[in-house]
Amino acid sequence: MSAENRQPLQGYHHRQPVAYANIALLSPHDSTVIDGGVSNEAGHFVIPCDVKPVLARISFVGYKTIYRHCKSNELGTIRLKTETQALKGVTVKGQVPILRREAGTIIFDTRHIVGAINATDLLRYAPGILLTNDDITLFGTSGVIFCINGKEQRMGQKEMLQMLKSYPASDVEKIEITQAPGAEYSATGNAGVINLILKKKDVDYIGGSIGYAHTQYEEHGDEANTIVIYNKGKVSTSLNLSGTWDNIRYKETNTISFDNHTRDNIDNGHIKKDNYSARWQIDYNVSDCLNLGAYAMASDGNRKLDVNGEYAYDTKDAFGLNNITTVTQRSEDTRTYALNANASQKLNDKGAKIDYNLDYYRMKMGDDRKTEALNTLTGITTDDFYYKNSIAQTVSNYSAKIDANVNNFKFGTQYTFTRSSRELVFSWLPGYNQWSNFEYDEQVLSLYAEYRGKLGNKFSFNLGGRYEHTWTKGRRLSIADNDVHLTQYGRFFPSLSVGYQANRDHSLSWSLSSRITRPNVINVNPDTLCNDAYHSTTGNPFLKPTYFYKAMMGYTYKGVLSFDLFYAYEPNRMTQVSCMGSGQTTFTTWGNVVDEQSFGINSFYYFDRLKWMNAILMQGICWNRTTGEGLYTLPNMESWGYTGVLQTSFFFDRNRKWTANLNLTYSSKEKDVTKTINARYIVDTGLQYRFWKDRLTFGIACRNLFASHVRGTEFLGKTVMDFDNTFNYRQFRLTLAYNWGARLRQNRRQYQSDEVKERVVNDF
């Protein structure tokens, strides 16, 4: 809908139009601002808004503020009464809750967060989100769909997190977290949707931010990010640039128990990482009814590993070895591209519209490894440990999507085509070479419909369904007859979310969803691929997709305390299983051999009762049961797990320019059918100072001030491997971030109008 006044705003007594009056559209439930604007010289205004009903607040200096409850688009003639009472200076303070809950969605207001510098930092404070290096999980589940202002970003997770570092935290208004995605989203991905809502910039604006970080430990790393935003008239565009240059230590320690001997492995080395990425987006408002947009992203990353290893046997193994030393060199080069073209066509003033999206995504990866070994007893090169491995992998994805919104209905269709290819060249021992080339095509045609509505002022709900039909084709290009394996299957994925707002203090939500995880080119490749001289992998061309079912119930109290109860069931889950061959060789494949059930509760609590500190405590308790079945005999396993994250901020002045942070993360012991990982903890601390009108932020931090080793046991058939690895090293980090921006004014009249708009923004 749009709040619309085709009759002019008038003074109550003189009946003259009131120009540049402030109009704000508020939520009737909690009075939070939805949108706003100003009246023109004739007293008219039109404010696009997809929400109804709304509460309209009309105010102007010298007149009494009035409120109108709007259920339709037309407000009619509004007359303002003059304010006759002289008022002294008044300070108005409002408290927007940090959490709000709607049907299937948690809305996290980021304006309460002080300790974050960029958008990636903000994710660490959001409920249920856990960041570990380049890995992100949502309430303990991976497979997150990222959106910015409601538009899905089709790029890799690592590239997405790096791009978000170029957005200053002050540019993010809120984060919407949907654990049960509606029918409009692809059914792939179990975790949910993370949607970052950015603050609206002025129509005529240029600005951005520049950030730099230096990390120092045994080696050093550097990181630079910038964004430039330009809005002029009908054009809105931005450019993101990011670069990372890192050199970190690598240490891994394993003890492997074979049938008749034990081997101790110690690998010491360094990992050098360089990554560059750029993203450009543009939107052009052709008319009030048509908007065109596009974005392009490119990323180039290189990762080099140099490791010196020591292998010590308690007795001579099957090959007559006692002790050997190895030198391993590995280089990964990954290039990623993403292109998007979109259009939004408005059909009427009631919110009906059609959205069009075309996407292209391409990832190309090269992985080269070489290992040489020397028998320390004889001083002779050991052929058994010599190998060269070269992998070239490419993934190309094309997608076309059309969505239609009519009243509260949303329906559409989507077609995606993905072609993946993987070529391997392996050399071991004199004269032994292997070549494998496999290509895998996947086509998915989707149809969906969804209805979003409200029952009174308390209930909201989303009801939808999505049907996806999948065709796959796998081809072995490395053999003469080009062996082809074809499959096809269809599935309907229902979704339901219900929200209940009892009053300002209590809100609840319920959701049911079904998702899918499809096999990829590695899972189904029937060729045997040698990873090194002792480990080989083969895919399963008959592997079936995994279906994931989840039910949730959530509760929020006063916007600061939240609980989410969930149950998830994943039958016939795709699982990697291993068994031992002769000597020290290990054979790995995939199968639908595991049923997994999980039940748990997640909580979020925001504490701000003290002026000198606030804190966020996130906790998760989960029960997991895994049952093995099928060709491979796997043990049944039941376990309880706990994860706790405490984010604290301490303030040393009234304006909170000086801020200290202390963050703790703890995970209890984890178990499944293949491994056991001991409890882990990490403690980070830091200090920030904002100055120069809050445009410049300086930060110093110590990451992993205290951090545990990653210890545990892994089971490979009858072989048992105990590991004790150091992946989290103490790092000192210096950060400098500068935000800038200016309004573009053309004439005095525009300047006056901008001043009125600025008052509206501040009034929000």
Side-chain angles (χ1 to χ4, degrees), residues 11 129 172 231 237 251 316 329 335 434 529 661 705:
I129 297 178
V172 181
N231 297 341
T237 186
K251 184 175 182 179
K316 286 188 177 182
Q329 294 178 328
R335 296 182 180 180
Q434 178 193 0
L529 308 179
N661 299 309
L705 177 64

Side-chain angles (χ1 to χ4, degrees), residues 560-606:
V560 297
L561 179 63
S562 180
F563 295 95
D564 288 277
L565 188 69
F566 70 90
Y567 171 77
Y569 177 52
E570 198 170 5
N572 298 320
R573 192 188 71 187
M574 290 185 297
T575 305
Q576 191 174 15
V577 290
S578 303
C579 60
M580 292 297 300
S582 60
Q584 303 174 24
T585 59
T586 302
F587 173 78
T588 302
T589 187
W590 279 266
N592 300 101
V593 296
V594 167
D595 292 345
E596 184 170 278
Q597 301 178 68
S598 57
F599 172 80
I601 185 170
N602 300 289
S603 67
F604 175 95
Y605 177 58
Y606 175 69

Side-chain angles (χ1 to χ4, degrees), residues 48-278:
C49 181
D50 295 331
V51 180
K52 61 180 180 180
V54 296
L55 186 66
R57 182 184 66 196
I58 301 96
S59 61
F60 191 70
V61 177
Y63 293 87
K64 293 182 179 180
T65 299
I66 66 173
Y67 293 85
R68 286 285 181 89
H69 195 261
C70 312
K71 294 185 178 180
S72 62
N73 295 343
E74 291 282 352
L75 297 183
T77 301
I78 301 174
R79 293 174 180 170
L80 303 179
K81 293 184 178 181
T82 56
E83 182 68 74
T84 57
Q85 183 179 2
L87 299 177
K88 296 181 179 180
V90 177
T91 300
V92 179
K93 293 184 178 181
Q95 181 67 24
V96 179
I98 191 171
L99 285 185
R100 289 189 291 119
R101 189 179 291 272
E102 294 180 357
T105 301
I106 298 174
I107 302 173
F108 177 65
D109 195 300
T110 59
R111 288 174 290 182
H112 297 264
I113 305 303
V114 182
I117 295 179
N118 54 52
T120 302
D121 293 337
L122 283 175
L123 293 177
R124 304 179 189 275
Y125 293 85
I129 297 178
L130 184 61
L131 284 178
T132 306
N133 298 324
D134 293 329
D135 183 44
I136 181 169
T137 59
L138 180 59
F139 292 106
T141 309
S142 58
V144 175
I145 299 173
F146 269 107
C147 297
I148 295 180
N149 290 337
K151 293 184 179 181
E152 184 174 348
Q153 306 297 303
R154 299 178 66 86
M155 63 181 69
Q157 181 173 280
K158 182 174 66 175
E159 290 81 14
M160 186 68 195
L161 291 176
Q162 185 174 16
M163 187 199 72
L164 290 179
K165 291 180 180 180
S166 63
Y167 286 97
S170 58
D171 277 5
V172 181
E173 180 177 336
K174 57 186 177 181
I175 300 175
E176 297 178 346
I177 301 167
T178 304
Q179 297 170 262
E184 65 176 299
Y185 294 101
S186 169
T188 303
N190 295 337
V193 179
I194 297 176
N195 182 24
L196 275 75
I197 305 298
L198 304 178
K199 294 179 181 177
K200 294 182 179 179
K201 299 297 184 182
D202 298 318
V203 174
D204 296 317
Y205 172 86
I206 185 170
S209 71
I210 301 174
Y212 170 76
H214 175 82
T215 305
Q216 186 65 49
Y217 33 95
E218 183 178 299
E219 300 290 341
H220 71 277
D222 297 279
E223 185 178 284
N225 303 281
T226 185
I227 182 174
V228 178
I229 301 172
Y230 178 78
N231 297 341
K232 181 64 177 177
K234 296 182 177 182
V235 178
S236 174
T237 186
S238 64
L239 176 65
N240 304 74
L241 299 173
S242 299
T244 301
W245 307 267
D246 209 355
N247 193 359
I248 63 175
R249 185 183 174 190
Y250 175 85
K251 184 175 182 179
E252 185 172 355
T253 302
N254 301 316
T255 299
I256 304 177
S257 300
F258 298 96
D259 289 339
N260 55 2
H261 63 277
T262 300
R263 187 178 78 196
D264 293 326
N265 304 351
I266 300 177
D267 291 328
N268 278 292
H270 291 85
I271 301 176
K272 183 179 180 181
K273 297 187 294 183
D274 298 329
N275 194 80
Y276 312 90
S277 65

Side-chain angles (χ1 to χ4, degrees), residues 74 234 236 281 429 477 502 530 579 596 619 639 657 744:
E74 291 282 352
K234 296 182 177 182
S236 174
Q281 74 86 28
L429 300 176
L477 304 179
C530 296
C579 60
E596 184 170 278
Q619 301 179 90
S639 64
K657 294 183 178 294
L744 302 173

Side-chain angles (χ1 to χ4, degrees), residues 292-541:
L292 303 179
Y295 72 77
M297 187 277 295
S299 176
D300 188 358
N302 185 270
R303 181 176 180 265
K304 294 183 178 180
L305 171 67
D306 291 299
V307 174
N308 295 322
E310 297 180 5
Y311 288 28
Y313 298 85
D314 61 345
T315 60
K316 286 188 177 182
D317 73 343
F319 299 96
L321 299 174
N322 283 110
N323 296 281
I324 60 173
T325 59
T326 63
V327 177
T328 299
Q329 294 178 328
R330 182 176 181 180
S331 177
E332 295 180 0
D333 186 16
T334 305
R335 296 182 180 180
T336 305
Y337 309 93
L339 298 173
N340 170 271
N342 61 82
S344 181
Q345 182 181 6
K346 185 179 178 182
L347 301 180
N348 55 40
D349 293 335
K350 297 181 179 181
K353 64 176 182 175
I354 300 178
D355 295 323
Y356 309 86
N357 271 281
L358 293 174
D359 286 282
Y360 170 69
Y361 174 83
R362 179 178 175 86
M363 185 275 291
K364 187 174 183 179
M365 184 195 74
D367 185 354
D368 296 308
R369 287 184 284 182
K370 179 181 178 180
T371 295
E372 295 180 330
L374 181 70
N375 191 325
T376 56
L377 185 62
T378 63
I380 301 175
T381 301
T382 303
D383 291 336
D384 300 318
F385 270 82
Y386 169 81
Y387 66 91
K388 293 176 66 176
N389 196 342
S390 179
I391 299 175
Q393 181 170 328
T394 303
V395 178
S396 298
N397 177 272
Y398 306 84
S399 175
K401 185 178 182 182
I402 300 177
D403 300 308
N405 293 267
V406 180
N407 295 329
N408 293 329
F409 286 95
K410 188 170 187 177
F411 50 91
T413 182
Q414 183 177 12
Y415 171 78
T416 60
F417 172 79
T418 305
R419 168 163 290 177
S420 306
S421 63
R422 201 166 193 259
E423 183 178 9
L424 172 105
V425 178
F426 178 77
S427 300
W428 177 43
L429 300 176
Y432 182 88
N433 295 285
Q434 178 193 0
W435 176 60
S436 171
N437 195 0
F438 184 72
E439 186 177 80
Y440 187 64
D441 292 345
E442 179 185 271
Q443 301 180 70
V444 180
L445 178 62
S446 306
L447 299 171
Y448 79 88
E450 187 175 50
Y451 179 76
R452 299 187 177 188
K454 291 188 176 182
L455 295 175
N457 294 327
K458 295 184 179 295
F459 283 96
S460 61
F461 63 91
N462 299 344
L463 175 63
R466 184 183 183 94
Y467 178 79
E468 295 190 349
H469 197 91
T470 306
W471 296 266
T472 67
K473 179 173 71 173
R475 294 190 297 168
R476 300 174 66 185
L477 304 179
S478 51
I479 61 176
D481 60 354
N482 239 6
D483 183 28
V484 177
H485 185 78
L486 301 173
T487 61
Q488 65 170 303
Y489 52 90
R491 189 81 170 195
F492 179 74
F493 300 91
S495 60
L496 172 64
S497 298
V498 179
Y500 175 66
Q501 185 75 40
N503 50 49
R504 293 177 61 90
D505 293 340
H506 305 276
S507 62
L508 296 97
S509 65
W510 299 265
S511 64
L512 297 170
S513 63
S514 175
R515 313 289 293 169
I516 186 175
T517 301
R518 295 181 174 91
N520 59 36
V521 64
I522 300 176
N523 303 142
V524 299
N525 185 0
D527 291 333
T528 299
L529 308 179
C530 296
N531 303 319
D532 56 40
Y534 296 98
H535 300 85
S536 62
T537 301
T538 185
N540 179 2

Side-chain angles (χ1 to χ4, degrees), residues 490-764:
R491 189 81 170 195
F492 179 74
F493 300 91
S495 60
L496 172 64
S497 298
V498 179
Y500 175 66
Q501 185 75 40
N503 50 49
R504 293 177 61 90
D505 293 340
H506 305 276
S507 62
L508 296 97
S509 65
W510 299 265
S511 64
L512 297 170
S513 63
S514 175
R515 313 289 293 169
I516 186 175
T517 301
R518 295 181 174 91
N520 59 36
V521 64
I522 300 176
N523 303 142
V524 299
N525 185 0
D527 291 333
T528 299
L529 308 179
C530 296
N531 303 319
D532 56 40
Y534 296 98
H535 300 85
S536 62
T537 301
T538 185
N540 179 2
F542 303 100
L543 195 64
K544 298 179 181 179
T546 297
Y547 297 101
F548 182 82
Y549 308 92
K550 193 172 187 178
M552 299 197 65
M553 183 179 71
Y555 167 72
T556 298
Y557 175 68
K558 288 190 175 181
V560 297
L561 179 63
S562 180
F563 295 95
D564 288 277
L565 188 69
F566 70 90
Y567 171 77
Y569 177 52
E570 198 170 5
N572 298 320
R573 192 188 71 187
M574 290 185 297
T575 305
Q576 191 174 15
V577 290
S578 303
C579 60
M580 292 297 300
S582 60
Q584 303 174 24
T585 59
T586 302
F587 173 78
T588 302
T589 187
W590 279 266
N592 300 101
V593 296
V594 167
D595 292 345
E596 184 170 278
Q597 301 178 68
S598 57
F599 172 80
I601 185 170
N602 300 289
S603 67
F604 175 95
Y605 177 58
Y606 175 69
F607 176 81
D608 64 345
R609 299 289 181 175
L610 302 176
K611 294 182 179 180
W612 53 272
M613 76 161 290
N614 62 31
I616 290 177
L617 176 63
M618 291 182 285
Q619 301 179 90
I621 301 176
C622 181
W623 170 83
N624 186 279
R625 175 180 171 84
T626 307
T627 304
E629 57 183 18
L631 177 63
Y632 298 89
T633 303
L634 299 173
N636 297 335
M637 183 72 68
E638 290 189 16
S639 64
W640 286 90
Y642 169 82
T643 300
V645 179
L646 177 64
Q647 308 268 11
T648 57
S649 299
F650 303 91
F651 314 115
F652 301 104
D653 64 306
R654 293 181 59 185
N655 295 324
R656 298 184 175 182
K657 294 183 178 294
W658 284 98
T659 305
N661 299 309
L662 179 64
N663 306 322
L664 300 90
T665 303
Y666 173 81
S667 298
S668 66
K669 192 173 184 178
E670 298 178 13
K671 294 181 180 180
D672 62 21
V673 295
T674 61
K675 62 182 177 297
T676 299
I677 302 178
N678 294 351
R680 305 178 307 282
Y681 61 86
I682 295 176
V683 179
D684 302 327
T685 187
L687 180 67
Q688 293 179 16
Y689 177 59
R690 294 182 293 112
F691 55 102
W692 201 0
K693 297 182 180 180
D694 292 341
R695 292 180 178 268
L696 195 60
T697 301
F698 172 77
I700 181 171
C702 180
R703 293 185 175 178
N704 306 322
L705 177 64
F706 302 105
S708 61
H709 290 195
V710 180
R711 297 185 176 94
T713 303
E714 187 171 356
F715 306 95
L716 302 175
K718 296 181 180 179
T719 302
V720 178
M721 181 177 71
D722 296 318
F723 53 86
D724 184 355
N725 302 322
T726 306
F727 296 141
N728 299 309
Y729 302 96
R730 186 175 293 115
Q731 305 172 4
F732 295 95
R733 184 178 177 89
L734 298 176
T735 305
L736 193 65
Y738 173 68
N739 304 330
W740 60 282
R743 301 167 68 90
L744 302 173
R745 303 184 178 95
Q746 296 180 343
N747 51 52
R748 179 63 181 172
R749 184 173 181 179
Q750 179 67 36
Y751 175 79
Q752 293 174 345
S753 177
D754 286 347
E755 282 189 322
V756 175
K757 292 180 181 179
E758 184 66 28
R759 290 202 302 269
V760 174
V761 173
N762 291 336
D763 189 43
F764 285 1

